[in-house]
Structures are given as structure tokens and as C-alpha cells.
Amino acid sequence: MSTVPPSKVKEFSPTTLEKIAYRSVASIPTREPNDQNRLGYCVWHYLSERHGTLLQAIHTSGARILIPEFDVLRIVAESLKKDGISLE
């Protein structure tokens, strides 16, 4: 039996909505790394669909964040603003 090397992973471009969303939550302290992934996914979903508010997306993620949700909202909103994403 032979072992095949894993497939190469093609990274998203830094300007894609996915990268912007996950980068916006990279500095949020969470209990586990998967909580940060979950939060990033919910931010991406909010940005792509624009249903509800960003605060609702943060709350709905169920991520076990270690700081208050309003601080997360401020950090994420500032990061998105730096990348040219308008939240209005």
C-alpha cells in the first residue's frame, strides 16, 4: 500500500470577501481556534447576504469569545472599514 501526498491547498486572494471576513476576526480571543473559524464564517455570511446586523451575526455564531460582544463588534467593524467594506 502506498501513501499519496496530500493535495495542495490554493489560498484565496487577500482581496476576496472570505479572506477579509476571516482576517477581521483574527485578533478576537476565543476559547478554541474553531470558535474563531465559526465567527469568521458568520461574518462572511453576513457580508455576503446582508441579512440582519453584524452584531446579530456575531451573537448567532455561538463562538465562545473571551471579550464582550460589543468589543468584538468594534474590532470587526474597524477591520472591515480598513479593507473598504461599508457596514451601512
Side-chain angles (χ1 to χ4, degrees):
M1 188 155 94
S2 66
T3 303
V4 178
S7 300
K8 293 187 180 193
V9 175
K10 184 177 179 184
E11 292 283 330
F12 281 106
S13 165
T15 59
T16 61
L17 200 54
E18 292 88 351
K19 276 289 195 182
I20 291 170
Y22 282 89
R23 188 171 46 239
S24 72
V25 301
S27 65
I28 306 296
T30 57
R31 197 178 298 174
E32 294 179 13
N34 194 42
D35 290 321
Q36 206 169 51
N37 292 335
R38 196 174 311 124
L39 182 60
Y41 172 79
C42 286
V43 170
W44 168 78
H45 190 262
Y46 164 75
L47 293 174
S48 61
E49 299 292 326
R50 296 291 177 140
H51 289 263
T53 65
L54 182 56
L55 184 59
Q56 288 173 333
I58 292 167
H59 180 74
T60 303
S61 72
R64 294 168 292 179
I65 53 177
L66 303 176
I67 60 176
E69 285 183 351
F70 286 106
D71 290 341
V72 174
L73 176 64
R74 181 184 48 79
I75 292 167
V76 171
E78 287 174 1
S79 177
L80 294 174
K81 194 175 194 180
K82 284 181 190 175
D83 284 319
I85 305 286
S86 174
L87 297 177
E88 282 107 38

